[in-house]
Amino acid sequence: MEERFGVVTFAGKPVTLLGPEIKVGDQAPDFTVVDNNLNPLSLKDFTGVKLISVVPSLDTPVCDAQTRRFNEEAAKLNATVLTISVDLPFAQKRWCGAAGIDKVITLSDYQNMSFGSAYGTYIKELRLEARAVFVVNSKNEVTYVEYVKEITDHPDYEKAIEAIKAAE
């Protein structure tokens, strides 16, 4: 598997991402993750425009804010919003209930890091996902990519939202 060292940092320290760098124009790779009821899902289970928001853990302030922001935006967009982390599905379900998240679909990559390996967000040293945002159109072409350089920083919400609107 491809290793990319120093592409992103975690708390200022370079980390290694496993998997390829996804670029605009690429065909979105398939993956298998599980939903909050442990049902396996893959890219083909979602139609139309998709915003894929990738976070290390929902129980951290930036990940919490990122997921809440995209949940608010989801109501205004013609897109499916997925949040992928390595949090256990039970924790994701509990967090969504407590946070009032009802428009974002939370998915877990904890079983085999299928998403992280396919999208190049798997942090080798931590077995977590790197913070990233992908927009995928209805033909499953990637139309927007942001690998957040410092994992503790926020993504560019406005650019991601613009990309969703352009992909609709």
Side-chain angles (χ1 to χ4, degrees):
M1 182 178 319
E2 182 180 348
E3 292 192 11
R4 299 177 294 127
F5 181 74
V7 174
V8 299
T9 57
F10 184 77
K13 295 179 181 166
V15 294
T16 306
L17 296 182
L18 298 179
E21 178 184 357
I22 301 300
K23 295 184 173 88
V24 170
D26 287 351
Q27 191 67 25
D30 201 12
F31 56 85
T32 301
V33 291
V34 294
D35 68 11
N36 293 169
N37 295 314
L38 296 174
N39 298 310
L41 294 173
S42 66
L43 183 64
K44 69 179 180 287
D45 292 310
F46 303 98
T47 59
V49 176
K50 295 156 284 288
L51 168 80
I52 304 173
S53 172
V54 187
V55 299
S57 176
L58 293 169
D59 279 326
T60 62
V62 177
C63 299
D64 177 291
Q66 180 174 334
T67 305
R68 287 175 190 267
R69 173 71 186 271
F70 285 132
N71 188 66
E72 290 170 18
E73 297 295 339
K76 306 174 215 167
L77 299 168
N78 185 23
T80 300
V81 181
L82 309 174
T83 291
I84 298 178
S85 73
V86 187
D87 294 309
L88 293 176
F90 317 109
Q92 289 180 337
K93 187 174 186 175
R94 177 193 46 75
W95 182 87
C96 286
I101 301 300
D102 58 355
K103 295 178 182 43
V104 166
I105 300 167
T106 54
L107 301 167
S108 179
D109 201 18
Y110 86 97
Q111 286 183 326
N112 58 20
M113 298 300 286
S114 170
F115 179 88
S117 298
Y119 284 73
T121 58
Y122 182 165
I123 304 171
K124 179 180 180 180
E125 295 85 351
L126 303 171
R127 200 178 188 283
L128 292 172
E129 302 282 357
R131 187 175 314 284
V133 178
F134 304 91
V135 174
V136 177
N137 69 18
S138 59
K139 297 175 188 171
N140 285 337
E141 299 163 337
V142 177
T143 62
Y144 177 81
V145 174
E146 180 186 9
Y147 291 95
V148 180
K149 298 286 184 204
E150 167 53 52
I151 294 169
T152 61
D153 289 345
H154 289 268
D156 189 329
Y157 299 110
E158 297 308 318
K159 282 188 180 176
I161 292 162
E162 289 171 21
I164 295 167
K165 291 177 180 175
E168 290 178 345

